[in-house]
Amino acid sequence: MTAPRPEDGTGPQGPYAHGAYGADGAFVAAVDGLADPLSDPLPDPLKDPLPDPLHDPLSGQHASPWFRSESAQGDAGGGPLAYGGPEQPQGAPSEWYDPEGYRRDWYGSQQAPAPSPGPSPAPAPAPVSAPVSVAASAPVPPADETLGLRTADTRRIVAEPGERPEPSETYEPTGRFEPPEPYEPAERPERSAPAEPVTGGRAERRKAAKGRGRRPAPTAAAAGTKPAAPMSRMEARRAAKAAKDSPAVVASRAVGEIFISLGVLMLLFVTYQLWWTNVRAEQIAGKETNKIQEEWAKGAGKPGVFAPGQGFAIMHIPKLDVVVPIAEGINKEKVLDRGMLGHYGEGKLKTAMPEDEQGNFAVAGHRNTHGEPFRYVNKLSPGDPIVVETRDAYYTYEMTSVLPQTSPSNISVIEPIPVGSGFTEPGRYITLTTCTPEFTSTYRLIVWGKMVDERPRSEGKPKALVG
């Protein structure tokens, strides 16, 4: 049988031939008694403090579990410990504490040599050493450096790409580990398909560039609805025929458009009659009044026969605040629609002038629209003054009576002695005629008056115009 070699540690000169681990199975028992930091659960410094490597659980004293025979003083030992402990008995290997070696052996990946297969002597009792204070000399093992990495890896597995959470604050220098809270990933945003390259002209590239930032329209699949099946040719024809309007619908639509157009035209016509005609007539009447006054200032407009439509006098009704020119004739377009009063001076309807010694000075005017000078003539009361101004004098009349309604063909109201006025003998009278009711021309409203004053212009205005 071949003798054991000294290089494998089992010979008489090997480190395992004598000493604390020289017995058979002593080394294996010592290794099994150690705690494996890679397989055992992490210690909790609050509940399970880290084991003291210098504390012997059997004897209750501190003793290093690692022995380095190469550092002992001599083969047989006998020297004092490296950290100043008590002397070892004769024949036992001396030990010393190396912080760097302890840290490398505790956390490193060194593998202990296999025990000798041969018979080994019985394990010697562990050396007893005096209790040593390790608070100042023995360093505290550092915390596991892979703890934070394992926590980050756990988060990295749960989180989605692009949504990695902030680093957890579970790592503590004391080695205490708190499991991270379960991470609930947010809903992943829908990613649109990559845009296809545009191979058209400049206009097409611009359109494609504008449409990249817009959200694509939801498809039938995204909306949760089934795409409609394609229609046959017959179904397409029926759908197109049903989409067309029937003749009745077309006719009713045309009639509705016609009525709407007529309503708009009527509204415009009413607006023209009630508003615009008054504006236009007042402008024309004002210009005619200024023209008459300018002619009087130049010495023109002598009493006599005037042409149809020619202005020759101005009527003042102080109570109604009316100042309107009087023109020859009662032509609707040339006189009345221009906002002026017309003098009955033609044919059978010819009446007297204000300067005549006797007669009835009769005039007509609109009650509504076209300036409506006689709009409120029905509000005159007996005694209200009516002044007619001519080139040479002011003629003042007082209202005496009114005929609320008569036929348009009743010309007796403008005779020299008007019928129905209450006058019984010839005199110098005035007659005002207009339409009634308002906004119609069915009947005529008649107002009569009698001259009470004739005043030359050289003497100034009468009291009716001054007061």
Side-chain angles (χ1 to χ4, degrees):
M1 186 173 183
T2 305
R5 299 178 180 180
E7 56 267 22
D8 59 1
T10 58
Q13 301 297 329
Y16 304 110
H18 62 276
Y21 296 95
D24 188 12
F27 182 81
V28 176
V31 171
D32 292 340
L34 298 178
D36 189 359
L38 299 181
S39 61
D40 291 349
L42 296 176
D44 190 347
L46 300 180
K47 297 180 180 181
D48 302 326
L50 294 175
D52 189 356
L54 304 181
H55 180 74
D56 188 1
L58 299 178
S59 61
Q61 299 179 355
H62 292 274
S64 175
W66 304 101
F67 298 90
R68 298 184 179 273
S69 58
E70 62 272 13
S71 301
Q73 298 180 0
D75 295 336
L81 296 177
Y83 56 89
E87 296 183 357
Q88 298 289 337
Q90 294 293 332
S94 62
E95 65 172 336
W96 65 284
Y97 178 71
D98 184 8
E100 296 296 334
Y102 171 78
R103 187 179 297 105
R104 181 170 57 256
D105 295 339
W106 183 268
Y107 294 99
S109 57
Q110 295 182 359
Q111 185 175 1
S116 175
S120 301
V128 178
S129 59
V132 180
S133 176
V134 298
S137 61
V140 179
D144 189 359
E145 297 179 355
T146 62
L147 177 61
L149 299 179
R150 290 200 300 272
T151 304
D153 293 340
T154 305
R155 292 275 183 144
R156 192 179 298 111
I157 295 173
V158 178
E160 295 291 342
E163 300 179 358
R164 184 168 299 172
E166 297 296 333
S168 175
E169 300 294 339
T170 58
Y171 175 74
E172 296 181 2
T174 57
R176 182 179 179 180
F177 174 76
E178 296 181 1
E181 298 180 359
Y183 176 72
E184 297 181 1
E187 297 182 0
R188 181 180 298 178
E190 298 182 359
R191 299 180 181 178
S192 57
E196 298 181 359
V198 182
T199 59
R202 182 180 297 177
E204 295 182 1
R205 291 197 298 271
R206 288 179 179 176
K207 292 181 180 178
K210 291 181 179 179
R212 286 173 185 170
R214 300 177 181 176
R215 182 176 297 177
T219 59
T225 58
K226 297 181 180 180
M231 296 186 297
S232 62
R233 182 177 299 179
M234 184 63 65
E235 294 176 349
R237 289 180 180 177
R238 291 178 180 176
K241 186 177 181 180
K244 294 181 179 180
D245 297 332
S246 62
V249 174
V250 175
S252 62
R253 186 176 300 169
V255 172
E257 292 179 357
I258 292 174
F259 278 111
I260 292 174
S261 302
L262 291 177
V264 172
L265 293 176
M266 291 180 65
L267 180 61
L268 294 176
F269 177 75
V270 171
T271 304
Y272 168 79
Q273 286 289 335
L274 298 180
W275 177 71
W276 179 248
T277 57
N278 290 335
V279 174
R280 185 60 179 168
E282 289 177 358
Q283 293 177 353
I284 296 174
K287 292 180 180 180
E288 189 66 23
T289 301
N290 296 334
K291 180 181 179 181
I292 293 173
Q293 291 176 349
E294 290 177 359
E295 290 179 354
W296 291 344
K298 295 177 181 179
K302 294 182 180 181
V305 179
F306 301 98
Q310 181 182 357
F312 64 91
I314 301 174
M315 179 176 288
H316 302 266
I317 305 177
K319 185 176 182 179
L320 304 179
D321 195 19
V322 171
V323 179
V324 58
I326 303 174
E328 187 67 21
I330 57 173
N331 186 275
K332 186 175 184 296
E333 296 179 357
K334 295 182 178 180
V335 179
L336 300 182
D337 288 351
R338 293 167 65 89
M340 297 187 292
L341 301 178
H343 172 239
Y344 290 91
E346 300 176 357
K348 296 180 180 180
L349 302 179
K350 186 176 182 179
T351 60
M353 296 296 288
E355 61 270 11
D356 292 343
E357 294 297 333
Q358 290 183 354
N360 183 14
F361 178 65
V363 295
H366 280 299
R367 190 176 184 186
N368 300 109
T369 71
H370 298 91
E372 49 192 24
F374 285 167
R375 172 71 180 272
Y376 302 106
V377 74
N378 60 324
K379 295 183 178 181
L380 291 176
S381 303
D384 291 337
I386 301 172
V387 180
V388 177
E389 178 185 2
T390 63
R391 177 180 177 272
D392 298 327
Y394 292 97
Y395 301 94
T396 304
Y397 300 86
E398 287 185 358
M399 187 268 184
T400 57
S401 59
V402 59
L403 181 61
Q405 181 174 307
T406 187
S407 173
S409 59
N410 184 10
I411 60 175
S412 62
V413 295
I414 60 174
E415 291 181 357
I417 302 175
V419 178
S421 63
F423 302 133
T424 58
E425 56 184 21
R428 303 174 74 174
Y429 308 117
I430 186 172
T431 303
L432 310 180
T433 64
T434 187
C435 299
T436 191
E438 293 190 50
F439 303 103
T440 65
S441 59
T442 307
Y443 303 100
R444 297 295 183 265
L445 173 65
I446 311 300
V447 176
W448 290 288
K450 181 180 180 180
M451 184 181 296
V452 295
D453 184 36
E454 180 180 356
R455 188 183 186 89
R457 291 180 62 87
S458 59
E459 295 181 3
K461 295 181 180 181
K463 295 180 179 180
L465 300 180
V466 173

